[in-house]
Amino acid sequence: MNYRSTRGQVSGQSFESVVLEGLAADGGLFIPEQLPTLPADWQTAWAELSFPELATELIAQFVGTDLSHTEVSQLVQKSYATFDTPEVTPMVQLDARTHVLELFHGPTFAFKDVALQFLGNLFEFFLERRNAQSGGHRLTVVGATSGDTGSAAIYGLRGKKNVEVFILHPRGRVSAVQEAQMTTVLDENVHNVSIEGTFDDCQDIVKELFSRSEFRREHSLGAVNSINWARILAQISYYFYAFFALRRSHGADALPAFVVPSGNFGDILAGFYAQSLGLPVAKLVIATNANDILDRFLRTGTYEKDASVAATPSPAMDILVSSNFERFLWYLARDHEVPSSVVDPEERAARACEILAQWMDRLKTAGSFSVSPAALDAARQVFWSGRCGDAETYSTIAAHYSHEPSYLLDPHTAVGVHVAETLRPEIKALGAHVHSVCLSTAHPAKFSDAVLR
C-alpha cells in the first residue's frame, strides 16, 4: 500500500511515512495510489463486529507491511478504551426514518476524538519503533483549530513520548469550553498559541511552516489536522458501523443517506472513501452553515472563497476554504477532466495532479476556479448539499428539545438535522428503505451558549 501527493511531486510513500509527514513536500495531500479491495464476504463476515474489531479490519487494509494485524488491533483497542461507551459511536433514532450517529463519546466530546486518539497512539508507536533502531527521532506536531481539533489533538498527544504539540486557535472564535479544554492541559509537551484572526489565518500559518523545507526537516514537523491521512482513515470506520447498526435495527435492505455537518470536508470525505470501498450508501449530503463554499460549489461548479468568515453558532464550521476538498477534487479531475483518450492509469493520475495543481494555484491567486460541466455532474452524483442559517440552527435545537422524545442537539449537529429535514422529500424519493443518518459531531454541553439561547 503506497501513497501519492495530490500535487504529483511525491509518490511511492509508505503508510508510516505519510502519517509522520502529514502534508506532502509539494504542498499536496496524501491519497492511496490504489484503493484496496475488501474481502468478498465483508457484509456478512463483519456484520456483528464490535466497533474496535471493525475499525481494525478496515484500517488493516491501508497500512501495507508497516503494521501487523495484531499491532493494528492493539492500537485500536488502546485508542477506543478512552470512550465512555463500548459502542464508541452509538446511533439514536429521532423519528421513523431519521437517526443521529453520536460521535462525541470520546475524551473531549467531539467526533475528532475518533481519529485523534488513534493518531496519537500511531505517532508514539512509530517513533518508539524508530528510536529502538536508531535514537533521536522526535516529532513536532503543529495544528490549527476552530475549536474541536485542538482539544482532541491535545488529549490524543498529551504525555506522548518524543512528541511536542503546538495548537493555534483564533482568539475569541472558539467556545469557552473548547478554550478551557485546550488551555488547562498542563503537560509539558502541550503548547497553545492564540492567534488574532480566523481559523483560516491559523491554517495558513501551519501550511506556511510546512512549506519551509529546511525548517520542516530541522524540527521534524508533523500534522494533526485532517490533512493527515490517518485521520480520514480512522473516520471511515463509523460509516461502516452505522451501516451495520441500521441493518440490524431496520432490516437487511435498509440503506443510509449520511448527512454530515461540513467545514474542512474531512468528515464527509471519509464517507466518500467508505462508499468508494463498496459501502452501500444512498447519498452523501453536505450540510453547511453560512460559510457555504461547498454548497455553492455544488450549485454552480465554481469553488470561490468569500471575502471573510462569518461567525456562526457552529464555529467549527466557520471556514473559508475546505482543505480536504482537494482530495475529492483529485478524483474528480482524474475521472472527469482528464481526456478519455488517456487510458494508462499512471498517466491519468499524473494528468489529474497537473489539473489539481492548476486549480489550487487559481484559488490562491484569483480566489476561485471552476470545473467542467461533466465534473460538476459527477460531483452531484456523489453529493447533495444544503445550507442552514443561524436562525434555523437555533430553531432546530429548540424544536427537537421540545419534541417527544426530547433530544438535545449541539449547533453543528443541528445544521445537519435541519438540512436532512429540508431534503426529506428528496431523501424519501430514494426509496422507503432509505434512512437519514445525521452525524452528531459534538456534545451539546460544549456549546452551551448556543444551546441555551
Side-chain angles (χ1 to χ4, degrees), residues 288-292 309-315 317-318 387-398 410-412 414-415 418 449-451 453:
T288 75
N289 62 17
N291 300 289
D292 59 353
V309 178
T312 76
S314 46
M317 299 159 62
D318 292 349
R387 182 183 185 277
C388 178
D390 293 0
E392 290 88 355
T393 301
Y394 294 128
S395 64
T396 301
I397 294 171
D410 91 282
H412 305 79
V415 169
H418 171 79
D449 288 346
V451 170
R453 178 162 173 164

Side-chain angles (χ1 to χ4, degrees), residues 290-348:
N291 300 289
D292 59 353
I293 186 172
L294 296 169
D295 181 51
R296 286 185 283 115
F297 171 81
L298 285 170
R299 286 190 280 110
T300 66
T302 297
Y303 192 68
E304 182 175 18
K305 290 193 293 187
D306 274 334
S308 61
V309 178
T312 76
S314 46
M317 299 159 62
D318 292 349
I319 293 171
L320 280 180
V321 176
S322 303
S323 293
N324 265 292
F325 198 51
E326 178 169 334
R327 286 183 164 114
F328 174 71
L329 286 169
W330 186 90
Y331 293 101
L332 212 58
R334 183 194 66 179
D335 297 339
H336 302 285
E337 298 282 0
V338 176
S340 57
S341 58
V342 180
V343 295
D344 177 69
E346 283 304 310
E347 177 63 19
R348 292 191 68 84

Side-chain angles (χ1 to χ4, degrees), residues 224-269:
V224 75
N225 285 87
S226 54
I227 56 176
N228 193 306
W229 166 252
R231 280 192 55 181
I232 306 302
L233 174 57
Q235 291 171 191
I236 294 172
S237 301
Y238 50 68
Y239 285 92
F240 279 80
Y241 191 75
F243 167 79
F244 286 124
L246 185 65
R247 292 209 159 176
R248 283 194 295 268
S249 60
H250 288 81
D253 66 339
L255 201 60
F258 290 106
V259 186
V260 186
S262 300
N264 223 16
F265 198 73
D267 204 1
I268 199 163
L269 179 69

Side-chain angles (χ1 to χ4, degrees), residues 147 151 169 171-172 174-184 192 194:
S151 55
H169 70 270
R171 184 177 181 183
V174 300
S175 78
V177 173
Q178 289 173 316
E179 184 173 12
Q181 284 184 323
M182 291 186 285
T183 58
T184 59
N192 283 282
S194 178

Side-chain angles (χ1 to χ4, degrees), residues 183-250:
T183 58
T184 59
V185 176
L186 303 181
D187 295 66
E188 291 186 358
N189 71 324
V190 172
H191 313 277
N192 283 282
V193 183
S194 178
I195 300 295
E196 294 288 353
T198 67
F199 167 77
D200 290 86
D201 295 320
C202 297
Q203 189 161 249
D204 286 345
I205 293 171
V206 172
K207 289 180 177 179
E208 174 64 22
L209 291 175
F210 273 88
S211 73
R212 299 180 180 182
S213 56
E214 290 187 16
F215 181 89
R216 181 176 179 174
R217 284 194 300 271
E218 180 182 353
H219 296 282
S220 301
L221 293 192
V224 75
N225 285 87
S226 54
I227 56 176
N228 193 306
W229 166 252
R231 280 192 55 181
I232 306 302
L233 174 57
Q235 291 171 191
I236 294 172
S237 301
Y238 50 68
Y239 285 92
F240 279 80
Y241 191 75
F243 167 79
F244 286 124
L246 185 65
R247 292 209 159 176
R248 283 194 295 268
S249 60
H250 288 81

Side-chain angles (χ1 to χ4, degrees), residues 1 3 15 19 36 38 46 51-69 71-73 75-77 79-80 114-115 117-119 122 126 229-238 240 277:
M1 172 58 68
Y3 293 81
F15 177 73
V19 168
L38 299 185
W46 296 355
F51 186 94
E53 290 169 338
L54 181 58
T56 296
E57 296 303 324
L58 284 163
I59 292 169
Q61 307 294 318
F62 287 88
V63 301
T65 59
D66 288 348
L67 293 168
S68 69
H69 191 278
E71 288 168 335
V72 174
S73 178
L75 287 166
V76 167
Q77 294 288 345
S79 300
Y80 300 129
V114 177
Q117 285 292 300
F118 177 66
L119 181 58
L122 266 183
F126 284 143
W229 166 252
R231 280 192 55 181
I232 306 302
L233 174 57
Q235 291 171 191
I236 294 172
S237 301
Y238 50 68
F240 279 80
L277 288 170

